[in-house]
Amino acid sequence: VQLQASGGGLVQPGGSLRLSCAASGVIFSINVMAWHRQAPGKQRELVATITSGGSRNYADSVKGRYTISRDNAERTLYLQMNSLKPDDTAVYYCYAQIRNSSAPRWFAYWGQGTQVTVSS
């Protein structure tokens, strides 16, 4: 199983970006998916989560600006980021809980990270 994140880049304050994370490989089902981020010199923090049923949660720092979504058929996770601030600068990582067989065992997978830089 692999998670491939994309969509990062350089954007001015107030701008927008959309991140994607595609899951591939032997996948039976996907449970919770999430985005985390890690800024230079800081610990990795949870940004947003979404369950297989579509329930969402956000960190207070991104509420009202970010929207997490997923396409279960395409096995893809998204993060729409609006009104970006310099403090949003970080490497963004996608995460997923995946079953890769009919056995009731879930495994955690991480994407490789995509850099988001907010600067004028």
Side-chain angles (χ1 to χ4, degrees):
V1 174
Q2 282 192 325
L3 298 181
Q4 183 68 42
S6 61
L10 173 63
V11 63
Q12 291 186 342
S16 298
L17 280 176
R18 189 191 195 206
L19 305 183
S20 299
C21 175
S24 62
V26 179
I27 297 173
F28 188 79
S29 63
I30 303 176
N31 190 17
V32 173
M33 302 185 82
W35 289 98
H36 292 69
R37 68 185 180 186
Q38 186 166 19
K42 295 187 177 181
Q43 289 188 331
R44 189 173 297 192
E45 64 172 348
L46 179 63
V47 174
T49 63
I50 184 168
T51 67
S52 57
S55 296
R56 300 170 172 86
N57 279 290
Y58 298 93
D60 288 343
S61 58
V62 306
K63 278 181 182 176
R65 300 187 299 121
Y66 287 16
T67 301
I68 190 171
S69 61
R70 60 192 282 174
D71 184 328
N72 290 326
E74 295 295 327
R75 299 173 174 175
T76 302
L77 175 70
Y78 301 99
L79 186 67
Q80 178 66 43
M81 306 184 293
N82 299 328
S83 303
L84 283 162
K85 307 173 182 179
D87 283 350
D88 295 319
T89 295
V91 178
Y92 284 69
Y93 298 91
C94 54
Y95 164 92
Q97 292 177 345
I98 294 174
R99 283 171 61 189
N100 51 23
S101 74
S102 59
R105 292 187 63 190
W106 297 92
F107 297 90
Y109 292 91
W110 291 89
Q112 85 285 6
T114 184
Q115 176 70 47
V116 172
T117 302
V118 185
S119 175
S120 55

PDB file of all heavy atoms in Angstrom, residues 34-39 42-48 59-62 65-66 87-93 110:
ATOM      1  N   ALA A  34      -6.627  11.250   7.262  1.00  0.00           N
ATOM      2  CA  ALA A  34      -6.308  12.502   7.948  1.00  0.00           C
ATOM      3  C   ALA A  34      -5.154  13.216   7.268  1.00  0.00           C
ATOM      4  O   ALA A  34      -4.403  12.623   6.483  1.00  0.00           O
ATOM      5  CB  ALA A  34      -5.955  12.225   9.407  1.00  0.00           C
ATOM      6  N   TRP A  35      -5.052  14.499   7.577  1.00  0.00           N
ATOM      7  CA  TRP A  35      -3.894  15.307   7.209  1.00  0.00           C
ATOM      8  C   TRP A  35      -3.213  15.770   8.497  1.00  0.00           C
ATOM      9  O   TRP A  35      -3.875  16.228   9.432  1.00  0.00           O
ATOM     10  CB  TRP A  35      -4.298  16.518   6.387  1.00  0.00           C
ATOM     11  CG  TRP A  35      -4.743  16.190   5.003  1.00  0.00           C
ATOM     12  CD1 TRP A  35      -6.029  16.060   4.563  1.00  0.00           C
ATOM     13  CD2 TRP A  35      -3.897  15.955   3.871  1.00  0.00           C
ATOM     14  NE1 TRP A  35      -6.039  15.751   3.227  1.00  0.00           N
ATOM     15  CE2 TRP A  35      -4.739  15.693   2.773  1.00  0.00           C
ATOM     16  CE3 TRP A  35      -2.515  15.953   3.660  1.00  0.00           C
ATOM     17  CZ2 TRP A  35      -4.250  15.417   1.497  1.00  0.00           C
ATOM     18  CZ3 TRP A  35      -2.027  15.676   2.403  1.00  0.00           C
ATOM     19  CH2 TRP A  35      -2.887  15.411   1.331  1.00  0.00           C
ATOM     20  N   HIS A  36      -1.907  15.643   8.514  1.00  0.00           N
ATOM     21  CA  HIS A  36      -1.072  16.199   9.570  1.00  0.00           C
ATOM     22  C   HIS A  36      -0.106  17.172   8.919  1.00  0.00           C
ATOM     23  O   HIS A  36       0.076  17.168   7.693  1.00  0.00           O
ATOM     24  CB  HIS A  36      -0.270  15.092  10.268  1.00  0.00           C
ATOM     25  CG  HIS A  36      -1.081  14.130  11.060  1.00  0.00           C
ATOM     26  ND1 HIS A  36      -1.942  13.222  10.490  1.00  0.00           N
ATOM     27  CD2 HIS A  36      -1.177  13.929  12.396  1.00  0.00           C
ATOM     28  CE1 HIS A  36      -2.523  12.494  11.432  1.00  0.00           C
ATOM     29  NE2 HIS A  36      -2.093  12.906  12.596  1.00  0.00           N
ATOM     30  N   ARG A  37       0.540  17.994   9.725  1.00  0.00           N
ATOM     31  CA  ARG A  37       1.577  18.864   9.200  1.00  0.00           C
ATOM     32  C   ARG A  37       2.686  19.039  10.216  1.00  0.00           C
ATOM     33  O   ARG A  37       2.472  18.892  11.423  1.00  0.00           O
ATOM     34  CB  ARG A  37       0.998  20.233   8.806  1.00  0.00           C
ATOM     35  CG  ARG A  37       0.520  21.081   9.978  1.00  0.00           C
ATOM     36  CD  ARG A  37      -0.138  22.368   9.452  1.00  0.00           C
ATOM     37  NE  ARG A  37      -0.603  23.218  10.562  1.00  0.00           N
ATOM     38  CZ  ARG A  37      -1.303  24.328  10.385  1.00  0.00           C
ATOM     39  NH1 ARG A  37      -1.630  24.737   9.156  1.00  0.00           N
ATOM     40  NH2 ARG A  37      -1.689  25.035  11.433  1.00  0.00           N
ATOM     41  N   GLN A  38       3.861  19.347   9.705  1.00  0.00           N
ATOM     42  CA  GLN A  38       5.002  19.584  10.579  1.00  0.00           C
ATOM     43  C   GLN A  38       5.775  20.782  10.058  1.00  0.00           C
ATOM     44  O   GLN A  38       6.305  20.758   8.943  1.00  0.00           O
ATOM     45  CB  GLN A  38       5.911  18.359  10.636  1.00  0.00           C
ATOM     46  CG  GLN A  38       7.031  18.486  11.645  1.00  0.00           C
ATOM     47  CD  GLN A  38       7.691  17.161  11.932  1.00  0.00           C
ATOM     48  OE1 GLN A  38       7.585  16.204  11.175  1.00  0.00           O
ATOM     49  NE2 GLN A  38       8.395  17.083  13.066  1.00  0.00           N
ATOM     50  N   ALA A  39       5.808  21.819  10.889  1.00  0.00           N
ATOM     51  CA  ALA A  39       6.564  23.017  10.564  1.00  0.00           C
ATOM     52  C   ALA A  39       7.998  22.853  11.071  1.00  0.00           C
ATOM     53  O   ALA A  39       8.248  22.065  11.987  1.00  0.00           O
ATOM     54  CB  ALA A  39       5.902  24.233  11.208  1.00  0.00           C
ATOM     55  N   LYS A  42       9.123  22.206  14.844  1.00  0.00           N
ATOM     56  CA  LYS A  42       7.919  21.908  15.630  1.00  0.00           C
ATOM     57  C   LYS A  42       7.531  20.445  15.479  1.00  0.00           C
ATOM     58  O   LYS A  42       7.954  19.768  14.554  1.00  0.00           O
ATOM     59  CB  LYS A  42       6.756  22.809  15.192  1.00  0.00           C
ATOM     60  CG  LYS A  42       6.978  24.289  15.461  1.00  0.00           C
ATOM     61  CD  LYS A  42       5.729  25.096  15.154  1.00  0.00           C
ATOM     62  CE  LYS A  42       5.924  26.564  15.482  1.00  0.00           C
ATOM     63  NZ  LYS A  42       4.686  27.348  15.192  1.00  0.00           N
ATOM     64  N   GLN A  43       6.698  19.988  16.411  1.00  0.00           N
ATOM     65  CA  GLN A  43       6.203  18.626  16.331  1.00  0.00           C
ATOM     66  C   GLN A  43       5.115  18.513  15.273  1.00  0.00           C
ATOM     67  O   GLN A  43       4.440  19.500  14.937  1.00  0.00           O
ATOM     68  CB  GLN A  43       5.635  18.199  17.695  1.00  0.00           C
ATOM     69  CG  GLN A  43       6.685  17.984  18.767  1.00  0.00           C
ATOM     70  CD  GLN A  43       6.102  17.377  20.031  1.00  0.00           C
ATOM     71  OE1 GLN A  43       4.931  17.582  20.348  1.00  0.00           O
ATOM     72  NE2 GLN A  43       6.913  16.630  20.758  1.00  0.00           N
ATOM     73  N   ARG A  44       4.947  17.306  14.783  1.00  0.00           N
ATOM     74  CA  ARG A  44       3.870  17.057  13.823  1.00  0.00           C
ATOM     75  C   ARG A  44       2.534  17.232  14.536  1.00  0.00           C
ATOM     76  O   ARG A  44       2.362  16.784  15.665  1.00  0.00           O
ATOM     77  CB  ARG A  44       3.968  15.643  13.252  1.00  0.00           C
ATOM     78  CG  ARG A  44       3.034  15.376  12.092  1.00  0.00           C
ATOM     79  CD  ARG A  44       3.301  14.022  11.453  1.00  0.00           C
ATOM     80  NE  ARG A  44       4.636  13.936  10.883  1.00  0.00           N
ATOM     81  CZ  ARG A  44       5.034  12.942  10.077  1.00  0.00           C
ATOM     82  NH1 ARG A  44       4.181  11.963   9.773  1.00  0.00           N
ATOM     83  NH2 ARG A  44       6.258  12.906   9.602  1.00  0.00           N
ATOM     84  N   GLU A  45       1.607  17.902  13.866  1.00  0.00           N
ATOM     85  CA  GLU A  45       0.294  18.134  14.465  1.00  0.00           C
ATOM     86  C   GLU A  45      -0.816  17.684  13.534  1.00  0.00           C
ATOM     87  O   GLU A  45      -0.680  17.723  12.307  1.00  0.00           O
ATOM     88  CB  GLU A  45       0.109  19.622  14.799  1.00  0.00           C
ATOM     89  CG  GLU A  45       0.103  20.548  13.610  1.00  0.00           C
ATOM     90  CD  GLU A  45      -0.265  21.978  13.986  1.00  0.00           C
ATOM     91  OE1 GLU A  45      -0.723  22.222  15.111  1.00  0.00           O
ATOM     92  OE2 GLU A  45      -0.099  22.857  13.110  1.00  0.00           O
ATOM     93  N   LEU A  46      -1.914  17.275  14.147  1.00  0.00           N
ATOM     94  CA  LEU A  46      -3.084  16.855  13.394  1.00  0.00           C
ATOM     95  C   LEU A  46      -3.821  18.077  12.864  1.00  0.00           C
ATOM     96  O   LEU A  46      -4.100  19.005  13.617  1.00  0.00           O
ATOM     97  CB  LEU A  46      -4.017  16.032  14.287  1.00  0.00           C
ATOM     98  CG  LEU A  46      -5.314  15.527  13.676  1.00  0.00           C
ATOM     99  CD1 LEU A  46      -5.036  14.575  12.522  1.00  0.00           C
ATOM    100  CD2 LEU A  46      -6.170  14.845  14.736  1.00  0.00           C
ATOM    101  N   VAL A  47      -4.138  18.062  11.584  1.00  0.00           N
ATOM    102  CA  VAL A  47      -4.828  19.185  10.953  1.00  0.00           C
ATOM    103  C   VAL A  47      -6.322  18.887  10.809  1.00  0.00           C
ATOM    104  O   VAL A  47      -7.161  19.705  11.186  1.00  0.00           O
ATOM    105  CB  VAL A  47      -4.227  19.486   9.568  1.00  0.00           C
ATOM    106  CG1 VAL A  47      -5.044  20.553   8.843  1.00  0.00           C
ATOM    107  CG2 VAL A  47      -2.771  19.916   9.696  1.00  0.00           C
ATOM    108  N   ALA A  48      -6.652  17.726  10.242  1.00  0.00           N
ATOM    109  CA  ALA A  48      -8.048  17.382  10.007  1.00  0.00           C
ATOM    110  C   ALA A  48      -8.186  15.881   9.811  1.00  0.00           C
ATOM    111  O   ALA A  48      -7.256  15.230   9.343  1.00  0.00           O
ATOM    112  CB  ALA A  48      -8.582  18.112   8.779  1.00  0.00           C
ATOM    113  N   ALA A  59      -8.467  20.920  13.425  1.00  0.00           N
ATOM    114  CA  ALA A  59      -7.741  21.661  14.452  1.00  0.00           C
ATOM    115  C   ALA A  59      -8.305  23.069  14.509  1.00  0.00           C
ATOM    116  O   ALA A  59      -8.740  23.621  13.489  1.00  0.00           O
ATOM    117  CB  ALA A  59      -6.257  21.699  14.099  1.00  0.00           C
ATOM    118  N   ASP A  60      -8.295  23.653  15.692  1.00  0.00           N
ATOM    119  CA  ASP A  60      -8.853  25.006  15.847  1.00  0.00           C
ATOM    120  C   ASP A  60      -8.164  26.009  14.924  1.00  0.00           C
ATOM    121  O   ASP A  60      -8.797  26.950  14.433  1.00  0.00           O
ATOM    122  CB  ASP A  60      -8.705  25.465  17.301  1.00  0.00           C
ATOM    123  CG  ASP A  60      -9.656  24.745  18.244  1.00  0.00           C
ATOM    124  OD1 ASP A  60     -10.635  24.130  17.759  1.00  0.00           O
ATOM    125  OD2 ASP A  60      -9.419  24.784  19.464  1.00  0.00           O
ATOM    126  N   SER A  61      -6.888  25.804  14.678  1.00  0.00           N
ATOM    127  CA  SER A  61      -6.117  26.768  13.894  1.00  0.00           C
ATOM    128  C   SER A  61      -6.528  26.815  12.419  1.00  0.00           C
ATOM    129  O   SER A  61      -6.191  27.777  11.718  1.00  0.00           O
ATOM    130  CB  SER A  61      -4.623  26.442  13.988  1.00  0.00           C
ATOM    131  OG  SER A  61      -4.373  25.122  13.522  1.00  0.00           O
ATOM    132  N   VAL A  62      -7.261  25.804  11.941  1.00  0.00           N
ATOM    133  CA  VAL A  62      -7.632  25.773  10.519  1.00  0.00           C
ATOM    134  C   VAL A  62      -9.141  25.788  10.300  1.00  0.00           C
ATOM    135  O   VAL A  62      -9.601  25.838   9.148  1.00  0.00           O
ATOM    136  CB  VAL A  62      -7.012  24.547   9.806  1.00  0.00           C
ATOM    137  CG1 VAL A  62      -5.501  24.504  10.030  1.00  0.00           C
ATOM    138  CG2 VAL A  62      -7.671  23.254  10.244  1.00  0.00           C
ATOM    139  N   ARG A  65     -11.240  27.604   7.437  1.00  0.00           N
ATOM    140  CA  ARG A  65     -10.354  27.900   6.301  1.00  0.00           C
ATOM    141  C   ARG A  65     -10.035  26.646   5.484  1.00  0.00           C
ATOM    142  O   ARG A  65      -9.861  26.736   4.265  1.00  0.00           O
ATOM    143  CB  ARG A  65      -9.040  28.515   6.805  1.00  0.00           C
ATOM    144  CG  ARG A  65      -9.211  29.806   7.561  1.00  0.00           C
ATOM    145  CD  ARG A  65      -7.862  30.457   7.878  1.00  0.00           C
ATOM    146  NE  ARG A  65      -7.013  29.621   8.713  1.00  0.00           N
ATOM    147  CZ  ARG A  65      -5.807  29.191   8.353  1.00  0.00           C
ATOM    148  NH1 ARG A  65      -5.309  29.497   7.177  1.00  0.00           N
ATOM    149  NH2 ARG A  65      -5.092  28.445   9.189  1.00  0.00           N
ATOM    150  N   TYR A  66      -9.954  25.511   6.146  1.00  0.00           N
ATOM    151  CA  TYR A  66      -9.618  24.258   5.478  1.00  0.00           C
ATOM    152  C   TYR A  66     -10.857  23.364   5.384  1.00  0.00           C
ATOM    153  O   TYR A  66     -11.711  23.380   6.275  1.00  0.00           O
ATOM    154  CB  TYR A  66      -8.562  23.485   6.271  1.00  0.00           C
ATOM    155  CG  TYR A  66      -7.162  24.025   6.244  1.00  0.00           C
ATOM    156  CD1 TYR A  66      -6.881  25.318   5.816  1.00  0.00           C
ATOM    157  CD2 TYR A  66      -6.105  23.216   6.663  1.00  0.00           C
ATOM    158  CE1 TYR A  66      -5.584  25.789   5.806  1.00  0.00           C
ATOM    159  CE2 TYR A  66      -4.798  23.674   6.655  1.00  0.00           C
ATOM    160  CZ  TYR A  66      -4.541  24.959   6.233  1.00  0.00           C
ATOM    161  OH  TYR A  66      -3.249  25.424   6.225  1.00  0.00           O
ATOM    162  N   ASP A  87       1.851  31.095   8.949  1.00  0.00           N
ATOM    163  CA  ASP A  87       1.917  30.042   9.973  1.00  0.00           C
ATOM    164  C   ASP A  87       1.464  28.683   9.454  1.00  0.00           C
ATOM    165  O   ASP A  87       1.663  27.666  10.132  1.00  0.00           O
ATOM    166  CB  ASP A  87       1.054  30.415  11.185  1.00  0.00           C
ATOM    167  CG  ASP A  87       1.727  31.462  12.068  1.00  0.00           C
ATOM    168  OD1 ASP A  87       2.924  31.742  11.841  1.00  0.00           O
ATOM    169  OD2 ASP A  87       1.053  32.000  12.963  1.00  0.00           O
ATOM    170  N   ASP A  88       0.848  28.641   8.296  1.00  0.00           N
ATOM    171  CA  ASP A  88       0.428  27.366   7.707  1.00  0.00           C
ATOM    172  C   ASP A  88       1.579  26.675   6.986  1.00  0.00           C
ATOM    173  O   ASP A  88       1.430  25.534   6.535  1.00  0.00           O
ATOM    174  CB  ASP A  88      -0.716  27.583   6.718  1.00  0.00           C
ATOM    175  CG  ASP A  88      -1.974  28.082   7.392  1.00  0.00           C
ATOM    176  OD1 ASP A  88      -2.306  27.589   8.495  1.00  0.00           O
ATOM    177  OD2 ASP A  88      -2.639  28.981   6.820  1.00  0.00           O
ATOM    178  N   THR A  89       2.701  27.358   6.865  1.00  0.00           N
ATOM    179  CA  THR A  89       3.870  26.784   6.202  1.00  0.00           C
ATOM    180  C   THR A  89       4.332  25.533   6.939  1.00  0.00           C
ATOM    181  O   THR A  89       4.590  25.569   8.147  1.00  0.00           O
ATOM    182  CB  THR A  89       5.013  27.803   6.140  1.00  0.00           C
ATOM    183  OG1 THR A  89       4.608  28.895   5.317  1.00  0.00           O
ATOM    184  CG2 THR A  89       6.278  27.175   5.572  1.00  0.00           C
ATOM    185  N   ALA A  90       4.414  24.425   6.210  1.00  0.00           N
ATOM    186  CA  ALA A  90       4.773  23.142   6.813  1.00  0.00           C
ATOM    187  C   ALA A  90       4.849  22.079   5.723  1.00  0.00           C
ATOM    188  O   ALA A  90       4.415  22.313   4.591  1.00  0.00           O
ATOM    189  CB  ALA A  90       3.737  22.726   7.858  1.00  0.00           C
ATOM    190  N   VAL A  91       5.366  20.930   6.100  1.00  0.00           N
ATOM    191  CA  VAL A  91       5.215  19.741   5.261  1.00  0.00           C
ATOM    192  C   VAL A  91       3.921  19.060   5.685  1.00  0.00           C
ATOM    193  O   VAL A  91       3.721  18.798   6.877  1.00  0.00           O
ATOM    194  CB  VAL A  91       6.403  18.776   5.412  1.00  0.00           C
ATOM    195  CG1 VAL A  91       6.174  17.526   4.560  1.00  0.00           C
ATOM    196  CG2 VAL A  91       7.703  19.461   5.016  1.00  0.00           C
ATOM    197  N   TYR A  92       3.067  18.792   4.734  1.00  0.00           N
ATOM    198  CA  TYR A  92       1.765  18.190   5.010  1.00  0.00           C
ATOM    199  C   TYR A  92       1.815  16.703   4.657  1.00  0.00           C
ATOM    200  O   TYR A  92       2.251  16.324   3.554  1.00  0.00           O
ATOM    201  CB  TYR A  92       0.674  18.893   4.215  1.00  0.00           C
ATOM    202  CG  TYR A  92       0.294  20.237   4.799  1.00  0.00           C
ATOM    203  CD1 TYR A  92       1.179  21.317   4.749  1.00  0.00           C
ATOM    204  CD2 TYR A  92      -0.934  20.428   5.430  1.00  0.00           C
ATOM    205  CE1 TYR A  92       0.850  22.539   5.313  1.00  0.00           C
ATOM    206  CE2 TYR A  92      -1.276  21.644   5.990  1.00  0.00           C
ATOM    207  CZ  TYR A  92      -0.381  22.697   5.928  1.00  0.00           C
ATOM    208  OH  TYR A  92      -0.711  23.922   6.488  1.00  0.00           O
ATOM    209  N   TYR A  93       1.359  15.890   5.600  1.00  0.00           N
ATOM    210  CA  TYR A  93       1.380  14.436   5.439  1.00  0.00           C
ATOM    211  C   TYR A  93      -0.042  13.886   5.477  1.00  0.00           C
ATOM    212  O   TYR A  93      -0.838  14.260   6.351  1.00  0.00           O
ATOM    213  CB  TYR A  93       2.164  13.784   6.568  1.00  0.00           C
ATOM    214  CG  TYR A  93       3.615  14.169   6.639  1.00  0.00           C
ATOM    215  CD1 TYR A  93       4.033  15.245   7.409  1.00  0.00           C
ATOM    216  CD2 TYR A  93       4.581  13.436   5.943  1.00  0.00           C
ATOM    217  CE1 TYR A  93       5.362  15.607   7.477  1.00  0.00           C
ATOM    218  CE2 TYR A  93       5.918  13.790   6.014  1.00  0.00           C
ATOM    219  CZ  TYR A  93       6.300  14.872   6.774  1.00  0.00           C
ATOM    220  OH  TYR A  93       7.624  15.212   6.839  1.00  0.00           O
ATOM    221  N   TRP A 110       1.334   6.274   5.994  1.00  0.00           N
ATOM    222  CA  TRP A 110       1.628   7.691   5.833  1.00  0.00           C
ATOM    223  C   TRP A 110       2.094   7.971   4.413  1.00  0.00           C
ATOM    224  O   TRP A 110       2.813   7.157   3.823  1.00  0.00           O
ATOM    225  CB  TRP A 110       2.728   8.133   6.785  1.00  0.00           C
ATOM    226  CG  TRP A 110       2.319   8.134   8.227  1.00  0.00           C
ATOM    227  CD1 TRP A 110       2.405   7.095   9.104  1.00  0.00           C
ATOM    228  CD2 TRP A 110       1.758   9.231   8.962  1.00  0.00           C
ATOM    229  NE1 TRP A 110       1.936   7.475  10.340  1.00  0.00           N
ATOM    230  CE2 TRP A 110       1.536   8.789  10.280  1.00  0.00           C
ATOM    231  CE3 TRP A 110       1.434  10.548   8.631  1.00  0.00           C
ATOM    232  CZ2 TRP A 110       0.998   9.626  11.270  1.00  0.00           C
ATOM    233  CZ3 TRP A 110       0.899  11.370   9.615  1.00  0.00           C
ATOM    234  CH2 TRP A 110       0.688  10.906  10.916  1.00  0.00           C
TER     235      TRP A 110
END
